[in-house]
Amino acid sequence: MSTRTLVSETVIEPGTGKAFEVRRGQVFKIEQLVGGQCADFNCFNLHDYKEYFHTGRTRHMHGLNPSVGDFLWSAPPRERPMAAIVADTVDSNDILYSRCSAFLFEYQYGLPVHTNCHDMQAEAQREFGLTPDDVHDSFNFFMNTGIEADGRPYIGMNKSKQGDYVELLALMDLLAVPNVCGADVMATSSFELKPLKISIFEGDEQELAAIEERPELGTFTTQRTPADFKQSQIRVERELSRDPAYEPDFTNVPIQITDIPVDLDDEETALLEDLRATGEFGQTDAEVLRHVVHSWWITRYMRGPKHFEAEGAEG
């Protein structure tokens, strides 16, 4: 936005990436200088690098192609929104595919020496003392993907044009690490590598306040930090060996099961029997009723993409 104060501006060239400190409330912009370029993106809590962006939780909350209004979530057990997408001129992003790696190009193309996102991320993050083990699956901005009818994923030609951009509003102090995706032999970046411009702006307090009113930004007791861990120290030794003093202490064990009687009228009983007769929802009245109740709740009340479609069981 033209009213924002520019903090820094950097061009990252093909074959490279760059780690940036982005403070809470600042806006991180990734812009197409030529068009058609995928940007792989890692991010970490600047004050605790073990809290990092997680594709799995973000997919669960927002689907395969997040855009404006969606969050970049950190991995369990933190599970907090790290940043919000506040602008997106293309609406073509991906969190299905993993980052490309040297292995991928050697295996698929016989090219053991090739630009790849894992190695570029590792080198960019090395500026802050991180290792190749710390690279995680990326948020793939501007990457055009989908799922075929047979369930297989596909990569389409990149839709972005010169001047297109995405903007992220930092919800905590971040280490943000974009790179110019190195997959020039795939449709990811339309078979050519192009530079990207990275800009950081001071944010708008009103915009931040509006985002923080979202229910996802609430405080939840299940968002755990190292202070809550039984093992709070990060391992230094690479080799694993058993702790002879270990005693299991699992959460919610022993499992408690309670029978709940449910009264049904004649019409409800007939519907239940019809569903049981299909064989699709369980073999007993209890199994079918559990299916009906839980699938009804999911389709009516679960926030974000549903992980289940209760076809034929909504009654």
Side-chain angles (χ1 to χ4, degrees), residues 216-232:
E216 297 93 331
L217 271 292
T219 299
F220 300 91
T221 59
T222 48
Q223 293 170 324
R224 296 185 291 275
T225 69
D228 304 305
F229 297 171
K230 294 184 178 72
Q231 174 63 36
S232 60

Side-chain angles (χ1 to χ4, degrees), residues 34-302:
V34 178
Q37 178 61 50
C38 172
D40 276 44
F41 180 80
N42 277 199
C43 70
F44 303 83
N45 179 335
L46 190 61
H47 309 296
D48 177 6
Y49 80 95
K50 282 296 187 180
E51 181 170 20
Y52 54 86
F53 167 67
H54 191 239
T55 55
R57 181 57 68 232
T58 306
R59 279 196 301 268
H60 179 206
M61 298 299 288
H62 304 302
L64 299 177
N65 310 110
S67 189
V68 172
D70 294 333
F71 296 113
L72 279 66
W73 288 81
S74 64
R78 311 295 202 280
E79 295 183 271
R80 299 192 295 168
M82 303 182 75
I85 304 174
V86 294
D88 182 354
T89 63
V90 186
D91 193 17
S92 179
N93 304 308
D94 167 77
I95 51 172
L96 170 63
Y97 277 84
S98 62
R99 61 198 180 276
C100 63
S101 66
F103 160 80
L104 180 66
F105 293 103
E106 183 174 15
Y107 174 73
Q108 295 285 10
Y109 296 95
L111 298 172
V113 179
H114 195 278
T115 53
N116 68 86
C117 291
H118 184 97
D119 289 350
M120 285 185 284
Q121 288 292 140
E123 178 56 28
Q125 293 167 196
R126 186 172 67 84
E127 183 177 1
F128 285 78
L130 298 176
T131 77
D133 281 345
D134 298 311
V135 179
H136 54 74
D137 275 347
S138 303
F139 196 117
N140 304 310
F141 288 105
F142 309 109
M143 186 173 175
N144 175 22
T145 65
I147 304 292
E148 301 280 10
D150 63 1
R152 294 178 179 272
Y154 69 84
I155 301 173
M157 294 293 282
N158 197 297
K159 298 179 179 180
S160 65
K161 306 297 183 184
Q162 183 181 34
D164 278 327
Y165 62 90
V166 293
E167 289 182 338
L168 305 177
L169 176 64
L171 301 175
M172 61 178 70
D173 292 347
L174 297 175
L175 182 69
V177 195
N179 74 264
V180 176
C181 176
D184 60 339
V185 290
M186 302 175 187
T188 310
S189 296
S190 299
F191 306 110
E192 182 185 6
L193 304 183
K194 287 84 67 177
L196 294 166
K197 183 167 75 172
I198 307 300
S199 303
I200 300 174
F201 298 89
E202 293 295 354
D204 184 319
E205 286 296 328
Q206 290 183 332
E207 185 176 32
L208 179 60
I211 291 288
E212 289 187 330
E213 290 178 356
R214 296 267 299 270
E216 297 93 331
L217 271 292
T219 299
F220 300 91
T221 59
T222 48
Q223 293 170 324
R224 296 185 291 275
T225 69
D228 304 305
F229 297 171
K230 294 184 178 72
Q231 174 63 36
S232 60
Q233 298 302 310
I234 297 173
R235 285 183 56 86
V236 176
E237 302 84 2
R238 296 280 173 160
E239 185 175 353
L240 298 176
S241 60
R242 180 179 176 274
D243 177 2
Y246 168 75
E247 293 290 341
D249 185 18
F250 293 102
T251 305
N252 302 323
V253 173
I255 300 295
Q256 302 293 319
I257 298 176
T258 303
D259 290 330
I260 301 174
V262 179
D263 294 325
L264 303 177
D265 61 27
D266 291 344
E267 182 181 1
E268 292 166 340
T269 299
L271 289 170
L272 188 67
E273 290 173 351
D274 289 344
L275 288 174
R276 190 182 68 237
T278 68
E280 297 178 13
F281 308 107
Q283 302 302 312
T284 68
D285 286 349
E287 290 174 352
V288 174
L289 190 57
R290 281 197 300 272
H291 183 104
V292 169
V293 170
H294 292 300
S295 60
W296 169 81
W297 189 93
I298 289 169
T299 55
R300 293 294 196 279
Y301 297 110
M302 179 170 279

